[in-house]
Amino acid sequence: MAVPKQKKSKARTRQRRSEHDKVTAKNVNWCPSCGEEKLPHRVCLHCGTYKGRQVIGVVER
Ligand SMILES: [Zn+2]
């Protein structure tokens, strides 16, 4: 809601901003084939699979 600038206290402004400025945990899933952490809807960078298929080659270690 639009409110005249002078009416808002610093505390009010900071309370409002605290909601969208707060740090949230990064969204992570676990790869079903190797169990490593991976980003959702992305190829697993550890084993190179997506939806149970090998889609990219990975360097063997
Ligand atoms: Zn994997």
Side-chain angles (χ1 to χ4, degrees):
M1 193 178 81
V3 169
K5 200 173 186 178
Q6 306 89 319
K7 281 194 173 179
K8 287 179 293 184
S9 67
K10 286 173 191 164
R12 277 283 163 202
T13 301
R14 286 165 187 169
Q15 277 167 27
R16 175 167 43 80
R17 285 179 185 171
S18 73
E19 190 55 39
H20 59 79
D21 289 353
K22 71 185 172 188
V23 178
T24 51
K26 200 164 74 175
N27 202 15
V28 287
N29 281 1
W30 289 270
C31 175
S33 48
C34 71
E36 287 287 315
E37 276 188 0
K38 69 172 202 63
L39 295 169
H41 309 286
R42 299 313 192 269
V43 172
C44 173
L45 295 173
H46 190 255
C47 64
T49 59
Y50 186 69
K51 284 193 169 178
R53 291 193 302 128
Q54 191 76 35
V55 285
I56 55 166
V58 283
V59 179
E60 295 295 328
R61 268 175 286 180

